[in-house]
Amino acid sequence: MARRRVHQYLPLPAASLALVLAATACGGGDGGGDTDTLQVWIMEGTNPDATSFFDEVGTAFEEDNGIGVEVEFVPWQDAQDKISTAIAGDTLPDVVELGTTFTPEYADAGVLHDLSGYIDDPSRFQQEMYEMGVADDAAYGVPWYASIRSIIYRKDIFEEHGHEEPANWEELRDTALDLAEAEEDMIAFPVPGDAQYSVMPWIWGGGGEVAVEEADGTWSSTIDSPEGRAGVEFFTDLALEDDLSTTGAVNWNEIDVMEALSDEQAIMAISNSSNPKAIIENNPDLEDRLGVFVLPGQEDGYTESFAGGSLLSVFEGTGNEEAAWRYVDLLTNGEYFERWGEESGFFPAGVEEIEGYAESEDPLVQPFATQLLEAGKSTPAVPAWSQVEAEGVIVKMQQDILNGNASVEEATDTAAETIENILNEGN
């Protein structure tokens, strides 16, 4: 069976990026100042039919503004190098799509245009995402589309064995144990090693924080607190103690987990909100056999999950900032805002729009929207966080535990210390 891959965010090589930005941050490129045509860079892979979508948006924009639009699709893995080269060569586009965790570093470098004066109502956007683009009360990105992680499961297998959606961690574990015994040839609950956003919910759900800013401006991590460790231990024990995963999953990323669901190898797994659509397209036999539930809380309620996605930003110094804002506004309001979400499988990153999905009767959409509204959480909106991701701090912690190279106590100690050192460097 052919597998359909969806895009993933790749960490920025922070050191090389910093060298380019340090050399150019004091003066943005003029980009030609060609107000007859806007140059737009969109990351490739989110929407399989993106060309026709952007052709239509460009036509509408030109009719209203008398300015043409040229869209270039950039592979995620090439984005950092391409943007850095454009900064160094003074050949910036006018509008760029940036992942939420990318934006703070570019904003800090001074290459993004402050959009706060254009945004009438910031509260209309999903706030965790909006804050990822804010620094010193300036907004350097507008939330465009959002994704969240909840649990996708095989509804037909749950029903066959008399199980309902679990309401807390203990029920989740008990359900997985029972189904593992009933379906011996399947993976009850994959525990991926190379998927940091699958680890974070358990840290947060246990009561820890990957990083929190103290009153004096320094950062501390409580991954190594008793609460943080309890969450990490619960998740890793599903593999190490309960044998609910597979040894190969130590090297799995989120796409590998999605493919295990698509290939009917896994019963349930933490997965992205865009994945049900991709899974069913890849394996139509699974239509009406999948379900989704919000990550349950440790005792009750919900466990917080990483709210990611993309922002649209305008580069500083191109000469086309006003027109570029109008293009961003067209994509993050009304018809095109909603259509991009529908066509791509992601959520438009507006509160009202997400609330509409949370009231949906679609069982593969409604729980994800509820997760996003009620229990979505972001990583720290600081430039140095990109280095935490580039160094794979949380991934290394997870893999060290799963490989038996470190205990939960040792691995969380190392992760917390490394995060604090990175975020506090220069303080």
Side-chain angles (χ1 to χ4, degrees), residues 62-127:
E62 186 168 10
E63 288 176 354
D64 289 342
N65 297 274
I67 301 171
V69 180
E70 290 184 3
V71 175
E72 181 177 348
F73 298 104
V74 180
W76 278 105
Q77 64 268 24
D78 298 337
Q80 187 272 335
D81 286 341
K82 189 171 179 66
I83 293 171
S84 297
T85 299
I87 293 170
D90 219 13
T91 56
L92 294 167
D94 301 293
V95 176
V96 65
E97 174 189 351
L98 295 174
T100 52
T101 58
F102 290 15
T103 311
E105 189 166 3
Y106 287 112
D108 185 64
V111 298
L112 300 180
H113 188 59
D114 178 10
L115 302 175
S116 55
Y118 304 109
I119 301 171
D120 292 333
D121 182 14
S123 67
R124 74 179 181 89
F125 296 108
Q126 204 273 351
Q127 286 303 289

Side-chain angles (χ1 to χ4, degrees), residues 191-228:
V191 179
D194 191 13
Q196 65 171 351
Y197 300 135
S198 296
V199 182
M200 288 179 183
W202 311 103
I203 297 169
W204 292 327
E209 293 286 348
V210 294
V212 62
E213 189 173 18
E214 305 292 350
D216 62 359
T218 61
W219 289 85
S220 62
S221 173
T222 58
I223 292 176
D224 59 345
S225 67
E227 295 81 7

